[in-house]
Amino acid sequence: MMRSPPPPQSQSNSNYGSPYGGQAGGAGGGSFAPAFGGFMNDPTAQMGYQVGKTAFNAGQELVEQNINRYVSIPALKHYFNVSTPYVLRKLLLVLFPWRHKPWSREQRPSSSSSPDASTYNYYFLPPRDDINSPDMYIPVMAFVTYILLSTLLAGLRGAFHPEVMGLTATTAFVVVLLEILGLKFGTYILSISNDSQLLDLVAYSGYKFVGVIVTLTLSEILNRGAGTGGWAGWTIFTYTFSANAFFLLRSLKYVLLPDSSASHPSAMGSGIQNTIARSQRNRRTQFLFIYSYIVQFVFMWILSRQDANPAQIKAPAAGVGKAVGA
């Protein structure tokens, strides 16, 4: 029985030990070149890599320390602990706060508290578990949306220029900064000491952008590009301003007018009764009213100002010019 001859054996053993089982490299070479030309095996390169890695880790640690000096990262995560149902319910609460009850934030004893102890440590529930808890997700998203929406509306009116986005962002940031400084100054003057953090005030100051976005959108649709003026624009602005003011008036009550009743969990656990004089409480109530209504009116009016379409302004001007020339 005839069989085919065996394949010719290679006279060279240069492929012996090759992991790929074939010819390695091109003509005249049977060995692999080291990775990156042997650069990573160079002791000097390894030393430089270690130095760079150490410098990077040191810089990252320095940045985290500086950030934690002003803002607590774990506390910041608490404000972004939201869910989709919470966001939808919170937006409805900001726009329609009239019949909502109760407004107090929910608290739970920490795991370190002992039932037999005379002092209990309470913590506020995250936003996903308490609709009355302030969050940072909605204010941040509303802040960015406001800037993009204002730029888009300016482009639709033919009034867009490269500085629009920067000016809008600067105006919004200055408004938020002035509002926070005013709140901190007011709490200092009124001697209000509580567990509220600066991020609480930042969150509450950002909810106004929800009403401003609704005002800009509906006014643009109803006024057909004529800005936020006219009866339609002022009607929408009046409602969104009133809803935001009522929402802040109820929500900030625990900050400016802390509950000192015996039914409050922290008051019962600690056994501390914070008595506030009637005159002091009246001043705090007046400050809360001024902030929720007067200050919010000014800031929301600044943020919701939109110029009319330039074409609509030039048309009447041209008609007046022709009449004068005639």
Side-chain angles (χ1 to χ4, degrees), residues 29 37 97 193 213 246 298:
S193 58
I213 291 172
F246 186 82
V298 174

Side-chain angles (χ1 to χ4, degrees), residues 176-190 192 198 200-202 204-205 248 252 255-256 287-288 291-292 295-296:
V176 174
L177 182 61
L178 290 177
E179 187 171 352
I180 295 173
L181 293 178
L183 278 175
K184 295 296 291 184
F185 179 75
T187 55
Y188 174 77
I189 293 297
L190 297 176
I192 299 175
L198 178 62
D200 283 352
L201 304 180
V202 174
Y204 284 121
S205 66
L248 291 179
L252 287 176
V255 179
L256 301 180
F287 176 82
L288 180 59
Y291 167 74
S292 299
V295 174
Q296 294 302 309

Side-chain angles (χ1 to χ4, degrees), residues 87-273:
V87 174
L88 296 178
R89 292 175 58 197
K90 193 73 170 187
L91 291 176
L92 292 177
L93 177 60
V94 174
L95 296 175
F96 306 98
W98 316 110
R99 300 179 61 87
H100 175 72
K101 287 182 180 181
W103 289 92
S104 60
R105 295 176 61 179
E106 297 184 10
Q107 300 182 10
R108 288 181 182 175
S110 62
S111 58
S112 60
S113 299
S114 174
D116 299 331
S118 59
T119 302
Y120 294 88
N121 295 323
Y122 285 83
Y123 68 95
F124 290 118
L125 294 181
R128 68 165 50 241
D129 298 327
D130 182 15
I131 191 175
N132 294 324
S133 177
D135 70 281
M136 290 295 296
Y137 178 81
I138 294 178
V140 171
M141 292 296 103
F143 182 88
V144 176
T145 303
Y146 164 75
I147 297 174
L148 298 178
L149 179 63
S150 298
T151 306
L152 175 63
L153 295 180
L156 293 177
R157 299 190 191 99
F160 176 81
H161 52 87
E163 294 81 9
V164 168
M165 182 173 292
L167 292 175
T168 304
T170 302
T171 302
F173 180 78
V174 170
V175 166
V176 174
L177 182 61
L178 290 177
E179 187 171 352
I180 295 173
L181 293 178
L183 278 175
K184 295 296 291 184
F185 179 75
T187 55
Y188 174 77
I189 293 297
L190 297 176
S191 302
I192 299 175
S193 58
N194 47 61
D195 296 333
S196 177
Q197 300 178 356
L198 178 62
L199 294 179
D200 283 352
L201 304 180
V202 174
Y204 284 121
S205 66
Y207 285 120
K208 72 167 62 65
F209 288 99
V210 176
V212 172
I213 291 172
V214 173
T215 301
L216 294 178
T217 304
L218 296 182
S219 298
E220 185 71 17
I221 296 174
L222 297 178
N223 289 334
R224 298 182 179 181
T228 54
W231 67 268
W234 276 105
T235 301
I236 299 171
F237 172 79
T238 301
Y239 176 82
T240 55
F241 153 72
S242 301
N244 180 75
F246 186 82
F247 169 78
L248 291 179
L249 188 67
R250 294 298 186 182
S251 299
L252 287 176
K253 183 179 180 180
Y254 83 96
V255 179
L256 301 180
L257 299 173
D259 191 0
S260 59
S261 62
S263 61
H264 196 267
S266 59
M268 289 190 300
S270 60
I272 299 176
Q273 297 291 333

